[in-house]
């Protein structure tokens, strides 16, 4: 499974990029940070006036720096790192699915993750998507194993993994709290009341301690309170402003306010943290002043987040624009074909889960999917934000497909279904 996923992703990257490819878009930031770290210049961006410190989430730049130390400033090597990270996702999906639903479901979910169009597509960019999928899945596997066999050490290990996920992308910060709430009642059935509170506290403490060194570094270097990264306020304003909300073509999407007036002038000569605070205040004030429009805008964001098609005017292409593969895949749109099969199967699998006695245990992926969906309503409906939810959708899709295949086999044998393993 790992080999198949790795080969597919490497072939895609080789087909899309030439060996001497240079980073573009948001990949530039991670490439720059990784190279500066690799050559001993610290966690800094390269600006017009020289190097300056930043507070980006550190996990991906640190991994990229390890690659660049070995290969030099070779962007294609960083893309190979992305392929390797992406190839780990099916293995972790299989592990999580096997624990929650049994080995047939885990195995099928893993193979679905091998060929998932979005998971393959984002191997072609130096972004946090693949690493975030890996860290979230690792933390979820650890969370499930901790609940099955509660131990203080497992609680600490689970918290450390959730801390790693937060250092990859700060949108994971509420997830340890969600996991603690999910585990609270079942823990009361297997451990004493005092031990239950102790283990949950250990989990949350481990998350805090894993993030604390980076927070302290930010306070020392940037002289400001930045738990993980800046950029949240800017992202909020990018999606919640009059330009986006009042244009039907843009609604649910985002613009770069750092490059548009009047915000460009307002941000000038301010630090990262100050820009974040200015943007955050303006976005909240705007949202409160237009509260009547929130249902319409929220639906536009949500529907864009869960759209069936990948290709829009604001998204990247599967291949270089104008190439034969791009024309073919543009006409077919692999995500559309994929979604027409996978999403109904996932809905059926979720419906089956809701009828089973183990549903509390098996609904953890649903709550994580719900959190990422809520994030799209607050910020904007981007496929990048949806990528970490896709491996979890595949768990329910695999469950639905396995259940349907079993029912077909049973009917062909002239039997009837009276129960199932999940029940």
């Amino acid at each position: 499974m790992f080999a198949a996923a790795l080969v597919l992703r490497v072939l895609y990257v080789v087909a899309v990029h030439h060996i001497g490819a240079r980073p573009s878009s948001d990949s530039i930031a991670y490439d720059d940070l990784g190279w500066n770290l690799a050559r001993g210049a610290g966690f800094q961006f390269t600006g017009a006036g020289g190097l300056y410190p930043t507070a980006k989430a550190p996990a991906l730049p640190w991994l990229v720096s390890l690659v660049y130390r070995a290969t030099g400033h070779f962007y294609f090597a960083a893309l190979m790192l992305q392929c390797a990270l992406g190839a780990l996702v099916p293995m972790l999906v299989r592990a999580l699915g096997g624990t929650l639903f049994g080995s047939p479901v885990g195995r099928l979910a893993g193979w679905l993750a091998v060929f998932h169009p979005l998971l393959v597509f984002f191997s072609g960019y130096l972004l946090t998507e693949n690493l975030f999928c890996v860290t979230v899945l690792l933390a979820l596997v650890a969370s499930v194993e901790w609940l099955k066999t509660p131990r203080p050490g497992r609680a600490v290990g689970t918290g450390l993994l959730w801390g790693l996920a937060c250092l990859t992308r700060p949108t994971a910060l509420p997830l340890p709290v969600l996991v603690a709430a999910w585990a609270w009642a079942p823990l009361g059935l297997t451990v004493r009341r005092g031990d239950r509170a102790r283990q949950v506290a250990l989990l949350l403490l481990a998350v805090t301690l894993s993030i604390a060194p980076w927070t302290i570094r930010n306070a020392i270097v940037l002289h400001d309170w930045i738990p993980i990264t800046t950029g949240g306020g800017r992202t909020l304003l990018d999606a919640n402003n009059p330009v986006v909300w009042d244009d039907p073509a843009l609604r649910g999407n985002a613009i770069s306010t750092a490059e548009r007036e009047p915000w460009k002038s307002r941000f000038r000569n301010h630090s990262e943290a100050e820009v974040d605070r200015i943007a955050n205040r303006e976005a909240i004030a705007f949202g409160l002043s237009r509260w009547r429009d929130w249902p319409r805008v929220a639906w536009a964001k949500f529907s864009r987040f869960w759209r069936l098609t990948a290709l829009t005017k604001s998204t990247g292409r599967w291949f270089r624009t104008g190439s034969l593969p791009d024309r073919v895949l543009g006409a077919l749109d692999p995500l559309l074909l994929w979604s027409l099969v996978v999403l109904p199967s996932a809905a059926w699998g979720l419906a089956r889960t809701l009828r089973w006695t183990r549903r509390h245990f098996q609904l953890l992926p649903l709550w994580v999917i719900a959190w990422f969906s809520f994030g799209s309503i607050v910020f904007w409906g981007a496929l990048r934000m949806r990528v970490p939810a896709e491996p979890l959708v595949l768990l329910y899709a695999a469950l639905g497909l396995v259940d349907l295949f079993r029912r077909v086999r049973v009917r062909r044998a002239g039997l009837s279904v009276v129960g199932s393993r999940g029940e």
Side-chain angles (χ1 to χ4, degrees), residues 133-150:
C133 285
V134 169
T135 55
V136 167
L137 288 169
L138 276 172
L140 285 172
V141 171
S143 301
V144 170
E145 294 296 338
W146 165 58
L147 184 59
K148 287 176 63 178
T149 313

Side-chain angles (χ1 to χ4, degrees), residues 336-421:
L336 175 61
L337 301 177
W338 181 268
S339 300
L340 292 176
V341 175
V342 168
L343 292 184
S345 302
W348 176 250
L350 179 59
R352 297 297 299 161
T353 303
L354 292 171
R355 297 182 58 187
W356 292 342
T357 54
R358 298 179 65 208
R359 57 183 173 270
H360 179 89
F361 181 66
Q362 295 170 330
L363 285 177
L364 175 60
L366 176 64
W367 308 135
V368 179
I369 293 169
W371 168 247
F372 290 130
S373 300
F374 174 76
S376 72
I377 294 174
V378 175
F379 293 99
W380 54 294
L383 290 179
R384 283 184 61 182
M385 296 177 67
R386 175 173 149 190
V387 169
E390 286 298 314
L392 307 178
V393 173
L394 295 181
L395 295 176
Y396 294 112
L399 175 63
L401 290 171
V402 167
D403 183 73
L404 291 172
F405 293 155
R406 181 176 59 88
R407 289 173 179 273
V408 170
R409 288 197 304 268
V410 167
R411 288 184 180 276
R412 285 182 177 176
L415 304 174
S416 60
V417 178
V418 295
S420 69
R421 186 177 303 174

Side-chain angles (χ1 to χ4, degrees), residues 252-326:
N253 202 341
I255 61 172
S256 178
T257 51
E259 301 172 1
R260 299 278 292 264
E261 294 293 354
W263 302 285
K264 184 177 180 179
S265 299
R266 293 174 189 169
F267 296 158
R268 191 176 293 125
N269 300 323
H270 288 284
S271 68
E272 280 187 13
E274 290 169 341
V275 167
D276 231 29
R277 285 192 286 269
I278 293 169
N280 193 58
R281 286 196 299 268
E282 182 162 339
I284 292 174
F286 172 75
L288 292 175
S289 69
R290 297 280 295 271
W291 61 270
R292 291 184 179 85
D293 294 332
W294 262 108
R296 179 180 57 176
V297 174
W299 174 248
K301 294 178 180 182
F302 184 81
S303 58
R304 192 174 188 277
F305 181 79
W306 285 110
R307 68 185 186 270
L308 301 182
T309 178
L311 301 179
T312 68
K313 292 180 179 180
S314 63
T315 58
R317 311 295 299 178
W318 294 102
F319 278 78
R320 290 182 293 275
T321 304
S323 66
L324 179 60
D326 180 67

Side-chain angles (χ1 to χ4, degrees), residues 189-251:
L189 303 176
T190 55
V191 301
R192 296 177 181 177
R193 181 176 301 177
D195 194 37
R196 173 174 65 173
R198 190 177 304 111
Q199 290 199 32
V200 169
L202 284 172
L203 182 148
L204 298 177
L205 178 63
V207 175
T208 303
L209 291 178
S210 61
I211 296 171
W214 186 246
T215 305
I216 294 170
R217 175 264 176 192
N218 290 338
I220 294 172
V221 174
L222 299 175
H223 310 291
D224 216 318
W225 169 252
I226 306 170
I228 297 178
T229 181
T230 55
R234 256 277 319 278
T235 305
L236 189 65
L237 182 61
D238 285 351
N240 299 288
N241 58 72
V243 174
V244 173
W245 281 33
D246 294 337
D247 185 346
L250 285 176
R251 194 173 298 134

